Amino acid sequence: MSAQLDKIKIFSLNSVQMRTFHITWLMFFVCFFGWFGLAPLMPTIREDLGLSKSQVGNIMIASVSGTIIARLIIGRLCDTWGPRKTAVRLLIAGSLPVFLVGLADNYTTFLLFRLAISVIGASFVVTQFHTGLMFAPSIKGTANAITGGWGNLGGGITNMVMPLIFAAIVGFGFTKSEAWRYAMIVPGIMMLLVAWLYYKFTKDTPEGNLDEINQQKVAGPTDWSILKEWRIWALTLAYGMCFGMEITFDNVASLHFVDTFGLDQAKAGFLAGIFGFMNIFARALGGIVSDKVGARHGMRGKGRLLGFMLLGEGLGLLWFAHAGSLGLAIVCMLGFALFLKMANGATFGIVPFINEKNAGLVSGIVGAGGNLGGMLFGFLFKSESITYIQAFQYLGVIVIIVSVIIMVTRFVKPVPASGIRTAAVAS
């Protein structure tokens, strides 16, 4: 019988745990690729559909809104269906609006397709839930951070690659209006291929699929009383500040570099891609540091680490907002990106220990908080009276305030009535 691994063997595919590890981050990667594949093409789409600044802002809000509800639902489906079936069904259903968004010919239809595509952002919950089942508590934070970070990497790669795919299609003689539509076929195909991989090569648990081990659920009945715990809402707030800011920047970065510094779409997409590409190490670094700090200082130390990461992100955003040149803006972007992505990893270095029996629900709630943050931030960028630079300033201040809240929050798990063993493990 297989068991949870206590060591991550990056270059191994010999165990179901490591096969699941690699396929689940790849699943989130291709979903992220499809989710934000339109973002670097927005300068062209804006011109093609005649979109105003307010309409572009509404599209940004729609692009993350559907994920809020979807993450809550997917979290519980992981508890009941199991992560394998949940992932495959999400990939197949989510590929449909990705394929069909090219049919949009006006603001309203494009907005609706963007809202439908946003549902695939719930793939993150599957990634974190499935990874958490495969690894021992001592390295859950690290494993979750690596799979989450490498999945988030899709946001950077899509910013770099989609403009190239677009340019190649134009090079074959198609118009720009046709090219952005045909370009979205690529991530749709990727999602279907990974759905097959997920079905073929992963298992729900180290012991096997739920059907094989005659287990109807990964977890017991939903304990809705956990919603009374401030720790969950504090993490939800924190994730709104880091991941919410990440998806906001993924959405707005290309437009910001085009409008503020006069870059063309390809160069702007490349710079936006650098921001996302940092996920190859930064989110994992946050999880690794969180595990090490937790080993020495318990959950209290993990919480303070998260607060410090958010503080660095907020200060970096203020610095970015005041950057007067492209070179300085890039340096500032890399600075706040490092803290932001480490905060993502540090958040989910805490999440698996909040309530092990309802891990899917907790992951779904906190994960949804990231998208809720992204949705709310979108209102700043749609305003006709607020510039993008001013929006970044406001966000920097908000993130700093939240960092203080996180630093004073007690993340130490309360001692259950039956004893102190669980608390000792979690702290």
Side-chain angles (χ1 to χ4, degrees), residues 39-41 43-44 156 158-164 166-167 249 252-259 261-275 326 330 333:
L41 306 181
T44 294
T158 196
N159 269 304
M160 293 178 173
V161 173
M162 287 301 282
L164 300 180
F166 168 87
F249 197 80
V252 79
S254 289
L255 287 172
H256 175 66
F257 285 123
V258 168
D259 294 345
F261 299 105
L263 301 182
D264 61 36
Q265 182 171 273
K267 291 180 180 177
F270 177 78
L271 291 180
I274 293 175
F275 171 83
L326 178 61
I330 294 171
M333 177 185 73

Side-chain angles (χ1 to χ4, degrees), residues 25 120 156 178 184 226 231 234 237 239 249 299-300 379 390 395:
W25 75 253
I120 62 179
E178 294 169 329
M184 288 301 291
I226 66 174
R231 295 181 302 156
L237 184 62
Y239 205 55
F249 197 80
M299 292 288 279
R300 183 178 289 106
F379 285 99
Q390 289 173 322
L395 291 178

Side-chain angles (χ1 to χ4, degrees), residues 8 18-19 26 34 43 64 79 89 176 183 191 201 249 279 286 309 311 348 353 375-376 379 389 395 397 404 407 417:
I8 300 173
M18 288 311 303
R19 286 196 299 273
L26 181 62
V64 299
D79 284 331
R89 291 168 181 175
K176 291 183 177 180
M191 290 172 67
F201 296 107
F249 197 80
N279 277 305
M309 293 295 104
L311 177 62
F348 274 82
F353 302 102
M375 184 190 76
L376 295 176
F379 285 99
I389 291 175
L395 291 178
V397 173
V404 175
M407 285 183 186

Side-chain angles (χ1 to χ4, degrees), residues 28-50:
F28 187 35
F29 178 97
V30 299
C31 283
F32 222 114
F33 201 98
W35 188 11
F36 285 95
L38 292 164
L41 306 181
M42 280 305 295
T44 294
I45 297 170
R46 178 176 60 181
E47 181 180 352
D48 182 34
L49 301 182

Side-chain angles (χ1 to χ4, degrees), residues 170-188:
V170 171
F172 281 111
F174 293 94
T175 66
K176 291 183 177 180
S177 178
E178 294 169 329
W180 73 260
R181 301 168 194 275
Y182 293 143
M184 288 301 291
I185 294 174
V186 175

